[in-house]
Amino acid sequence: MLTWQQLRDLRPTGLQSAADGWGDVSRHAAAARDRLSNEMLGAIEKSQTSNAADSAAVRLRGLDRNYDYIHIECGLIRTDLDSLTYELMGPQRKLRDALDEAAALDFAVGADGSVSYPPGGQNLISNQPLPGGSATGGSPLLSRPPALTRTPPGFTDTNPHHVKAQAIADQILAALQEARRVDERFSTTLARLKAEPGLSVATATWQDMAADAAAVREVADQYLKNDIPTDKSPAERKAWWTYLTDKEREEYLAAYPDIIGNLDGIPSAVRDAANRDNLQVLIGKLAGADDEASKTKLAGLLSIDKQLSAVPEPGVPPMYLLGIGDHNNGRAIVSFGDPDAARNVSAYVPGLCTKLSEHFATSDIERARATAKSAAFLDHSSASIVWLGYDAPQLPAEQITDDLAVMGTHDAAVGATAYNHFMDGIHVTNQNADPHITAIGHSYGSLTVGLAAQQAGGIPGADDIILVGSPGTEAKTADDLGVGRDHVYVGAAENDPVTMLPNKKEATGVLGGAAVGALGGFVVPVPGGPILGAAEGALEGYILGDAASDPSQIYFGTDPANHAFGAHRFQVGDGPRPFIDGQGPVPAHSNYFDDDPVSAANIAAIVAGQPQLVTSQEPR
């Protein structure tokens, strides 16, 4: 049990020195891990192919995980000790103030925290000084002044020192109780931060570490979290991070990698380091879950983790993890190339049905990788980002309202605001005087990018906008997107039905006609019944709707590939035909980045800031 004497004599420098020692261990582990990954493991995988080399690589990866675990856990211990020091200093100040006041009044403080005071005042009857006594904090029955007799009714006959002594005793007790609560909380947390004998980092270890991180965050909130500028602009966040000391930065990274790693305006290298640590925490957290959503996210996280630890493909810029999270449908922001150092930076927004999953990790991330490789061939100072920072509509959905989400703009509008915050962060952390920034939207993601461009001020820093496989942007013309129509580029494959979705009048006709046709099939029995009736009704409804609508309009406004929109339509392949070529209903919709070399080359030329290399295609 913590005593007031121990609290009085506590030396914060001792705790801080211990914290610094754990911080040193954390840094050394991180440096060892980096050397393993960047030098030893990479050298073996690049230069040797044998069973012995494979065995060595496996063991080095295991050692890499061990160092990573040590780095994170020791960082948590350091943060815990620093937080403990911070929280104990408050009650220690209260205690010392109380002791100073007692000494100034010549009161004595007992070993149990009681405060003794001398005689004082005067007995109203005998005119003698009232006797001294003692006061015990929080215990009125034990701290009453000596009983007095023959006190006339209506008179108060109390030693005036008693009130002061009682206040001092109460303050001593309050300080001690607060310090004991702090001590108990942090003792419990510190007791968690230990590894089993014979360190072997496996899934269960990461699960335990995830719980450790949550425990440290809970006790460190008062010390650290309240100062994180989550409600500030990216520029203000950058300034905040710039003026922190190295020690403060390390503490934030240890306790709150989930916040720092996803904070727009923080340098990309810092976000990458934070998110790599948080990735392990999330893997540990989701490894114990048995619901399908968690399993899907876990598969995506594991795939991203594997890619981060792999030797980079020749010609592909290094991989940065700029965002990661498991909330809602999951979050993941991956860059190939350092967006702070690159002259050319692109950020691609995927569309319908995208979520944190193994498919995202192997498909959408691969699109960013392919774009980065092609752009870097034209200009080595290029970085390509895939941005899953919003909840794209999902199909099939669990609720009818979710099924209708793809037909509305709500998800895109929410995503547009988040995307602009991210792009603002990319713009303010870039080290070039005038970086070339390209916003890319695919499918429903093009609606997100289009809405972002139509917000006040447009997409921060954007010079060019690329829309591929677009169902529209809610913009009437390319001029509405804020970069000038000559800087809006559109790719639309002739066999991509998403770029030719019926506009809302046509869609209303289709739905209404289908409903009437299906009802007719029930009422008047015909071959095929309601199904045939629905199909016939939908066709009739489409024809009627089409006759009453503008042919340049598709579902979300003007067709970006139409001449009325006024954008630069670049050449893409026609792509496979729906069903006929045996690749499903919309195979051409997914071909713009890597499966269509003409389209991929044009996207790379735009991203690399070399529009003279772009080949054009006639607008519709």
Side-chain angles (χ1 to χ4, degrees):
M1 181 71 73
L2 182 69
T3 67
W4 69 262
Q5 294 93 334
Q6 291 172 320
L7 179 60
R8 176 198 61 193
D9 297 336
L10 175 69
R11 294 182 180 275
T13 54
L15 283 174
Q16 290 171 345
S17 178
D20 291 343
W22 286 104
D24 288 341
V25 176
S26 178
R27 283 192 295 275
H28 287 317
R33 179 198 60 191
D34 289 344
R35 185 178 179 188
L36 273 175
S37 298
N38 299 330
E39 298 179 25
M40 300 174 66
L41 185 58
I44 288 176
E45 293 184 337
K46 287 179 179 178
S47 63
Q48 300 184 42
T49 55
S50 67
N51 291 337
D54 292 343
S55 177
V58 169
R59 297 185 67 179
L60 284 174
R61 288 195 188 94
L63 190 56
D64 179 277
R65 289 193 297 273
N66 287 1
Y67 277 127
D68 194 20
Y69 178 81
I70 293 170
H71 158 66
I72 296 173
E73 287 283 303
C74 291
L76 291 174
I77 294 172
R78 190 268 303 279
T79 298
D80 205 57
L81 289 173
D82 276 334
S83 301
L84 171 62
T85 306
Y86 172 82
E87 292 207 28
L88 283 177
M89 288 175 65
Q92 186 185 58
R93 281 193 298 269
K94 292 179 184 178
L95 172 66
R96 288 180 172 177
D97 288 345
L99 295 176
D100 289 345
E101 186 177 0
L105 294 171
D106 203 24
F107 293 174
V109 179
D112 61 351
S114 61
V115 178
S116 300
Y117 54 90
Q122 189 177 50
N123 187 297
L124 295 177
I125 296 176
S126 67
N127 292 325
Q128 296 298 313
L130 294 170
S134 65
T136 302
S139 303
L141 294 177
L142 299 178
S143 59
R144 290 181 300 182
L148 301 174
T149 58
R150 300 185 300 278
T151 301
F155 285 85
T156 300
D157 200 2
T158 306
N159 187 330
H161 295 311
H162 171 73
V163 174
K164 296 178 181 179
Q166 185 64 58
I168 293 172
D170 287 343
Q171 186 168 339
I172 290 172
L173 179 62
L176 191 55
Q177 288 177 333
E178 182 182 350
R180 285 172 176 170
R181 286 193 296 268
V182 170
D183 183 61
E184 182 178 356
R185 282 193 298 117
F186 281 87
S187 295
T188 301
T189 304
L190 281 169
R192 292 187 56 97
L193 301 176
K194 60 183 180 181
E196 296 298 326
L199 177 62
S200 177
V201 177
T203 300
T205 313
W206 290 123
Q207 287 178 279
D208 181 67
M209 192 268 289
D212 292 345
V216 171
R217 290 170 191 166
E218 185 175 347
V219 296
D221 276 1
Q222 182 177 346
Y223 172 56
L224 289 175
K225 188 176 181 180
N226 294 339
D227 291 331
I228 300 176
T230 53
D231 59 344
K232 302 296 184 180
S233 70
E236 291 171 312
R237 294 168 181 169
K238 179 188 177 186
W240 168 77
W241 185 261
T242 299
Y243 290 108
L244 290 177
T245 64
D246 289 342
K247 180 180 178 180
E248 288 171 330
R249 291 175 183 171
E250 289 175 359
E251 287 182 327
Y252 281 113
L253 286 171
Y256 299 104
D258 55 329
I259 297 178
I260 301 301
N262 291 285
L263 202 61
D264 299 326
I266 300 299
S268 295
V270 176
R271 293 180 69 164
D272 177 62
N275 286 316
R276 286 176 187 247
D277 287 348
N278 191 40
L279 176 63
Q280 304 306 326
V281 175
L282 292 174
I283 289 173
K285 173 185 174 183
L286 296 179
D290 57 4
D291 61 286
E292 286 304 315
S294 294
K295 291 179 181 178
T296 298
K297 294 172 189 173
L298 178 60
L301 294 174
L302 290 171
S303 179
I304 291 173
D305 185 43
K306 182 178 180 180
Q307 293 180 56
L308 286 168
S309 61
V311 177
E313 178 188 343
V316 177
M319 190 172 176
Y320 287 75
L321 188 58
L322 303 182
I324 200 72
D326 66 335
H327 56 288
N328 298 340
N329 292 333
R331 299 288 186 269
I333 306 172
V334 174
S335 177
F336 290 93
D338 181 358
D340 290 353
R343 286 190 299 270
N344 305 296
V345 182
S346 65
Y348 144 62
V349 183
L352 177 67
C353 295
T354 308
K355 59 185 176 182
L356 179 56
S357 64
E358 187 172 11
H359 180 268
F360 167 82
T362 56
S363 176
D364 292 284
I365 289 180
E366 180 54 38
R367 291 173 179 174
R369 181 185 280 108
T371 299
K373 184 176 182 179
S374 298
F377 179 78
L378 298 174
D379 185 341
H380 71 278
S381 185
S382 298
S384 178
I385 301 168
V386 53
W387 183 85
L388 181 59
Y390 80 125
D391 289 313
Q394 302 295 308
L395 291 176
E398 296 179 357
Q399 301 178 14
I400 293 177
T401 53
D402 294 332
D403 282 322
L404 297 176
V406 71
M407 300 173 65
T409 61
H410 176 266
D411 290 337
V414 173
T417 298
Y419 183 70
N420 275 349
H421 281 302
F422 173 76
M423 296 297 277
D424 194 9
I426 291 297
H427 185 236
V428 301
T429 60
N430 191 279
Q431 299 156 7
N432 293 277
D434 186 21
H436 173 246
I437 296 177
T438 305
I440 306 175
H442 173 242
S443 187
Y444 191 87
S446 70
L447 173 63
T448 304
V449 168
L451 293 179
Q454 293 172 77
Q455 289 186 352
I459 299 172
D463 298 287
D464 292 307
I465 293 175
I466 300 175
L467 308 171
V468 289
S470 178
T473 63
E474 292 285 291
K476 186 175 182 181
T477 71
D479 294 321
D480 298 333
L481 302 186
V483 294
R485 62 173 54 203
D486 290 339
H487 293 274
V488 178
Y489 296 86
V490 177
E494 285 305 311
N495 290 327
D496 181 359
V498 174
T499 69
M500 296 175 279
L501 287 177
N503 60 48
K504 292 179 180 178
K505 285 184 179 180
E506 294 166 343
T508 300
V510 169
L511 293 174
V516 172
L519 180 61
F522 276 114
V523 175
V524 182
V526 295
I531 296 177
L532 180 59
E536 292 177 346
L539 178 60
E540 292 175 2
Y542 173 78
I543 293 171
L544 291 173
D546 184 56
S549 64
D550 184 340
S552 70
Q553 299 300 299
I554 54 176
Y555 196 81
F556 290 115
T558 306
D559 174 7
N562 192 281
H563 67 88
F565 192 73
H568 185 162
R569 187 183 183 189
F570 61 87
Q571 186 179 5
V572 303
D574 289 347
R577 294 166 295 178
F579 295 109
I580 297 174
D581 292 326
Q583 298 181 30
V586 286
H589 188 57
S590 303
N591 280 14
Y592 295 98
F593 294 92
D594 43 13
D595 293 328
D596 180 350
V598 175
S599 176
N602 281 323
I603 291 174
I606 299 165
V607 167
Q610 300 192 30
Q612 73 279 6
L613 300 179
V614 177
T615 57
S616 299
Q617 187 169 354
E618 281 297 316
R620 290 173 177 159

